[in-house]
Amino acid sequence: MTSATWDRGLALAPAGSDGTDELDAIALGRRIRHLRKSRSLTLDDVSAAVSLAPSALSMLENGKREPKLAQLKALAACFEVPVDELLGTEPPSRRAALEIQLERAQRGPLYQALGLPTVRVGSRLPMDVLESLVGLQNELERRLNEQAATPEEARRANTSLRHEMRQRNNYYREIEQEAARVLAAVGHSGGPLSQHKAADIAEHLGFSLHYVGNLPHSTRSVTDLKNHRIYLTQVSRADHDPRSVLLQALGHYVLGHQTPQSYAEFLSQRVATNYFAAALMMPEKETAAFLHRAKDERELAVEDLRDAFAVSYESAAHRFTNLATEHLGITCHFQKVHESGILHKAYENDGVNFPADHTGAIEGQSICRYWTSRVVFDVQDKFRSFEQYTDTIKGTYWCTARTERHSSGLYSLSIGVPFEHVKYFRGRDTKERCQSKCPDESCCRRPPAQLSELWSGNAWPATRANTHLLAAMPTGAFPGVDETEVYRFLQDQSG
């Protein structure tokens, strides 16, 4: 048995996020059972000694219940061992270690996702069967771990990051403070951040800017940390604000990012630099004051924020989610939905029921056709924002949405709030209203009965093959970037 295997038998799990140790009920239960049997005691014997029902003691031994401190002390006294021995760092036997591993595996999401029956882990389970089951589980986990940077991994990373954003109300104080220090250093006095002032920020941080026509095709910018140069390209595409591209590149430097070791870390860094750029173009102090005035006047509108700071509607919508809860006490949600109805990105801390798969991932899911983010595609007036009330299974939400065209198609961008907050927004007097029963399939996923009767079995659509859905995520520390191409580019420039 390797040390790594023995580590899985610790009675104390790794420290949690709050810095405290978490009790491992499975390992503790196996140790209690081992001590009881090694002393030829029955459940009834121990139960009487510690004033605990035999059924409760059995649940402790099976890891289905955590003991109280008083019960731990009573058990230790019964077995005539220190409490620390009950919480030992090593399983009492090889069999106990294997039983602990199998119990943990069967209670984990991987085993449960297989839909297999649970094996009763008891003394009657033959040792060779126990070893085979544990070996199969370990090999399955190993093979899954080898599939690095798969779309599944990306969805898991996105889901984890979205949970973190929700817990923080999408507000990152440490990034706000870094952005404020940079703006103060260059003397930004307010109003939209000009490209000239963005260049001043680069100069203040010790970087020179170089516009080139041969930037590696997989990049938007390349930073030469050796010579403190940032290489950019002048393009006509409106997908990316040139200020944002530069400020994101500087964000990696200011925030002290190192080469990412996983896709999750890469994604987290990308979100942080996007946030940093937004905090520079829409400073917290000014933006919060702007939003407070609009709230007091009951005229909150994302397009006003867009116009006040000369940014895109999408950037303004994202920035609103950063500050709405922290400064205004308003919970909200954001969606970016493709014209096909597929959810591209989203955020929520208001309880809205985004569609999700069994892992909690929402990317790639179809949004209800009665939600504002779908209805807006059929609205003729594209100049003004479209507002709608939607009655959902989670309550009534008011949303404002616009559509914007990108290189990959037409997208809707929407901000929504629970009904209790709508009184602060312009457009609250809209008469548009829809009802959504999703995820009930009868809402919009199942064709109407009359159409089904006419066409079911008589239609064969030629689907558009989305081959990118079958491909693995690009490999490398920076997914999709050809490092050889980047290094050759830098070598040519420095030469």
Side-chain angles (χ1 to χ4, degrees):
M1 187 71 66
T2 65
S3 59
T5 301
W6 285 117
D7 285 345
R8 296 190 180 98
L10 298 181
L12 287 178
S17 58
D18 58 354
T20 60
D21 288 332
E22 181 181 352
L23 188 67
D24 187 330
I26 298 175
L28 176 62
R30 286 300 183 276
R31 181 164 290 278
I32 293 173
R33 178 180 295 170
H34 172 79
L35 290 170
R36 176 176 64 81
K37 290 189 173 184
S38 67
R39 286 156 176 74
S40 300
L41 297 173
T42 65
L43 283 172
D44 290 332
D45 294 334
V46 177
S47 298
V50 301
S51 301
L52 194 64
S55 59
L57 180 59
S58 178
M59 292 183 69
L60 284 180
E61 291 190 352
N62 289 318
K64 297 180 179 178
R65 178 174 172 177
E66 293 184 2
K68 298 179 180 178
L69 180 59
Q71 293 170 340
L72 271 177
K73 292 180 178 179
L75 286 166
C78 176
F79 298 136
E80 298 181 340
V81 297
V83 172
D84 288 345
E85 188 169 334
L86 285 179
L87 305 174
T89 60
E90 189 173 284
S93 66
R94 174 178 170 77
R95 181 181 180 88
L98 292 171
E99 288 181 354
I100 291 169
Q101 283 186 262
L102 186 55
E103 281 283 9
R104 286 179 179 162
Q106 292 188 138
R107 298 183 192 186
L110 173 58
Y111 192 96
Q112 293 177 7
L114 297 175
L116 298 174
T118 301
V119 177
R120 187 177 183 279
V121 184
S123 58
R124 295 184 180 181
L125 186 65
M127 186 68 171
D128 57 343
V129 175
L130 183 59
E131 290 195 11
S132 295
L133 290 173
V134 171
L136 286 171
Q137 176 72 20
N138 289 341
E139 179 61 17
L140 179 58
E141 288 183 357
R142 186 190 68 79
R143 294 192 180 194
L144 288 175
N145 289 334
E146 282 184 349
Q147 299 174 6
T150 62
E152 289 74 19
E153 182 194 4
R155 285 195 289 271
R156 286 195 297 270
N158 265 314
T159 301
S160 177
L161 185 57
R162 197 172 67 255
H163 287 167
E164 176 192 319
M165 293 164 70
R166 183 192 302 130
Q167 290 172 355
R168 302 183 63 145
N169 293 321
N170 206 19
Y171 177 77
Y172 290 75
R173 187 181 306 277
E174 62 277 16
I175 301 180
E176 300 282 2
Q177 292 172 345
E178 290 290 350
R181 278 193 284 269
V182 169
L183 289 172
V186 298
H188 181 57
S189 58
L193 186 76
S194 65
Q195 283 191 229
H196 179 78
K197 188 61 71 174
D200 287 346
I201 292 175
E203 183 179 358
H204 164 70
L205 295 172
F207 287 90
S208 59
L209 305 183
H210 302 263
Y211 284 88
V212 295
N214 61 334
L215 204 64
H217 74 282
S218 56
T219 65
R220 287 190 293 170
S221 70
V222 174
T223 302
D224 177 354
L225 294 171
K226 182 185 295 186
N227 300 298
H228 274 225
R229 298 175 179 175
I230 296 179
Y231 294 97
L232 305 161
T233 186
Q234 292 178 321
V235 294
S236 57
R237 282 174 52 189
D239 288 19
H240 305 293
D241 186 322
R243 297 171 301 167
S244 182
V245 173
L246 169 59
L247 297 175
Q248 287 169 24
L250 293 169
H252 288 293
Y253 176 77
V254 174
L255 301 176
H257 290 166
Q258 302 297 316
T259 302
Q261 300 301 308
S262 66
Y263 184 81
E265 188 177 355
F266 164 78
L267 185 64
S268 179
Q269 290 181 1
R270 183 171 179 176
V271 168
T273 55
N274 286 344
Y275 193 113
F276 177 74
L280 289 173
M281 292 192 291
M282 293 167 276
E284 179 180 19
K285 183 178 179 180
E286 293 178 59
T287 308
F290 180 90
L291 292 174
H292 269 296
R293 288 193 297 271
K295 181 186 178 185
D296 292 342
E297 296 169 3
R298 304 201 170 202
E299 280 289 306
L300 280 173
V302 176
E303 57 262 40
D304 288 354
L305 186 61
R306 172 202 62 188
D307 297 341
F309 292 94
V311 295
S312 69
Y313 187 88
E314 182 173 356
S315 295
H318 278 300
R319 191 61 174 145
F320 179 83
T321 68
N322 296 153
L323 305 177
T325 307
E326 177 71 19
H327 287 279
L328 307 179
I330 295 176
T331 56
C332 60
H333 64 269
F334 165 81
Q335 299 175 71
K336 183 175 183 178
V337 177
H338 189 260
E339 55 190 324
S340 63
I342 298 300
L343 185 60
H344 184 72
K345 64 173 71 170
Y347 160 78
E348 58 81 19
N349 70 345
D350 60 0
V352 71
N353 58 312
F354 283 137
D357 63 17
H358 68 285
T359 68
I362 62 175
E363 293 78 19
Q365 299 294 309
S366 293
I367 286 292
C368 176
R369 66 175 66 252
Y370 300 115
W371 281 22
T372 312
S373 55
R374 291 286 300 277
V375 177
V376 67
F377 287 111
D378 297 324
V379 175
Q380 294 299 312
D381 184 356
K382 302 297 184 184
F383 189 78
R384 289 173 293 188
S385 296
F386 170 73
E387 288 83 26
Q388 174 185 290
Y389 289 96
T390 308
D391 300 316
T392 76
I393 62 171
K394 293 289 188 176
T396 298
Y397 292 86
W398 173 90
C399 297
T400 178
R402 298 184 71 91
T403 57
E404 286 187 356
R405 184 164 295 280
H406 293 257
S407 58
S408 55
L410 188 66
Y411 289 87
S412 70
L413 303 163
S414 61
I415 285 287
V417 296
F419 183 79
E420 63 185 287
H421 297 313
V422 69
K423 58 187 175 183
Y424 302 116
F425 289 81
R426 187 167 68 232
R428 60 187 175 275
D429 57 350
T430 180
K431 299 298 189 292
E432 300 291 339
R433 196 178 197 111
C434 280
Q435 182 178 17
S436 168
K437 294 183 291 183
C438 280
D440 188 334
E441 288 193 357
S442 65
C443 179
C444 64
R445 300 181 187 276
R446 186 186 306 155
Q450 186 176 3
L451 281 175
S452 293
E453 185 178 346
L454 288 171
W455 293 105
S456 180
N458 294 302
W460 192 277
T463 60
R464 180 176 296 171
N466 294 317
T467 55
H468 67 279
L469 297 178
L470 304 176
M473 292 292 293
T475 58
F478 305 97
V481 172
D482 185 333
E483 291 189 36
T484 301
E485 186 181 8
V486 171
Y487 294 163
R488 284 177 177 166
F489 166 80
L490 290 174
Q491 183 60 31
D492 291 343
Q493 296 299 321
S494 62

Coordinates of all heavy atoms in Angstrom, one line a residue, residues 19 21 55 85 89 194 220 251 263 274 305 312 360 369 391 401 405 422-423 471:
G19 N -10.2 27.0 7.3 CA -9.0 26.7 8.0 C -9.2 25.6 9.1 O -8.2 25.3 9.8
D21 N -10.3 21.7 10.5 CA -10.3 20.3 10.0 C -11.7 19.8 10.0 O -12.5 20.1 10.8 CB -9.4 19.4 11.0 CG -7.9 19.7 10.8 OD1 -7.5 20.1 9.7 OD2 -7.2 19.5 11.8
S55 N -28.3 0.9 17.3 CA -28.5 1.4 15.9 C -27.7 2.6 15.7 O -27.2 2.8 14.6 CB -30.0 1.6 15.7 OG -30.5 2.6 16.6
E85 N -6.2 8.5 19.2 CA -6.1 7.3 18.5 C -7.3 7.0 17.7 O -7.3 6.3 16.6 CB -5.8 6.1 19.5 CG -5.5 4.8 18.8 CD -4.9 3.8 19.7 OE1 -4.4 4.1 20.8 OE2 -5.1 2.6 19.4
T89 N -4.1 8.8 12.1 CA -3.7 9.2 10.7 C -3.5 8.0 9.8 O -3.1 8.2 8.7 CB -2.4 10.1 10.8 OG1 -1.4 9.3 11.4 CG2 -2.6 11.3 11.6
S194 N -9.9 57.5 -22.0 CA -9.5 57.6 -23.4 C -8.4 56.6 -23.7 O -7.7 56.0 -22.8 CB -9.0 59.0 -23.7 OG -7.8 59.3 -22.9
R220 N -4.8 38.0 -29.1 CA -5.2 39.4 -29.2 C -4.1 40.4 -28.8 O -4.2 41.5 -29.2 CB -6.5 39.6 -28.4 CG -7.7 39.0 -28.9 CD -9.0 39.4 -28.1 NE -9.0 39.0 -26.8 CZ -9.8 39.4 -25.8 NH1 -10.7 40.4 -26.2 NH2 -9.8 39.0 -24.6
G251 N -3.5 43.8 -16.9 CA -4.1 43.2 -15.7 C -3.3 42.0 -15.2 O -3.1 41.7 -14.0
Y263 N -6.9 24.4 -16.5 CA -7.9 25.2 -17.2 C -8.7 26.1 -16.2 O -9.0 27.3 -16.5 CB -8.8 24.4 -18.0 CG -9.8 25.2 -18.8 CD1 -9.4 25.7 -20.0 CD2 -11.1 25.4 -18.4 CE1 -10.3 26.5 -20.8 CE2 -12.0 26.2 -19.1 CZ -11.5 26.7 -20.3 OH -12.4 27.5 -21.0
N274 N -10.5 40.6 -17.0 CA -11.7 41.3 -17.6 C -12.2 42.3 -16.5 O -12.6 43.4 -16.9 CB -12.7 40.3 -18.0 CG -12.4 39.5 -19.3 OD1 -11.5 40.0 -20.0 ND2 -13.0 38.4 -19.5
L305 N -25.5 53.7 -18.4 CA -24.1 53.4 -18.0 C -23.2 53.2 -19.2 O -22.1 53.7 -19.1 CB -24.2 52.1 -17.1 CG -22.9 51.7 -16.4 CD1 -22.4 52.8 -15.4 CD2 -23.1 50.4 -15.7
S312 N -19.1 49.2 -24.3 CA -20.1 48.5 -25.0 C -21.2 48.1 -24.0 O -21.1 48.2 -22.8 CB -19.5 47.1 -25.5 OG -19.2 46.3 -24.4
G360 N -24.4 20.9 -13.0 CA -24.7 22.2 -12.6 C -24.2 23.2 -13.7 O -24.4 24.4 -13.6
R369 N -38.0 29.7 -24.5 CA -38.3 30.6 -25.6 C -39.2 31.8 -25.1 O -39.4 32.8 -25.9 CB -38.9 29.9 -26.8 CG -40.3 29.3 -26.5 CD -40.9 28.7 -27.8 NE -40.1 27.5 -28.2 CZ -39.3 27.5 -29.3 NH1 -39.2 28.6 -30.0 NH2 -38.6 26.5 -29.6
D391 N -43.1 35.5 -15.7 CA -43.5 34.7 -14.5 C -42.9 33.3 -14.6 O -43.2 32.5 -15.6 CB -45.0 34.5 -14.5 CG -45.7 35.9 -14.3 OD1 -45.2 36.7 -13.6 OD2 -46.7 36.1 -15.1
A401 N -33.3 43.9 -22.3 CA -32.4 43.2 -23.2 C -32.2 44.0 -24.5 O -33.1 44.8 -24.9 CB -33.0 41.8 -23.5
R405 N -24.6 42.2 -32.7 CA -24.0 41.2 -33.6 C -22.5 41.1 -33.4 O -21.8 42.1 -33.2 CB -24.3 41.6 -35.1 CG -23.8 40.6 -36.1 CD -24.4 40.9 -37.5 NE -25.9 40.6 -37.5 CZ -26.4 39.4 -37.5 NH1 -25.7 38.3 -37.5 NH2 -27.7 39.3 -37.5
V422 N -37.8 46.0 -9.3 CA -38.1 46.6 -10.6 C -38.4 48.1 -10.5 O -38.3 48.9 -11.4 CB -39.2 45.9 -11.3 CG1 -40.5 46.1 -10.6 CG2 -39.3 46.3 -12.8
K423 N -38.9 48.5 -9.3 CA -39.3 49.9 -9.1 C -38.2 50.9 -9.3 O -38.5 52.1 -9.5 CB -39.9 50.1 -7.7 CG -38.9 49.7 -6.6 CD -39.5 49.7 -5.2 CE -38.5 49.2 -4.1 NZ -39.2 49.2 -2.8
A471 N -14.7 18.1 -30.2 CA -13.3 18.2 -30.0 C -12.9 18.5 -28.6 O -13.7 19.0 -27.8 CB -12.8 19.4 -30.9

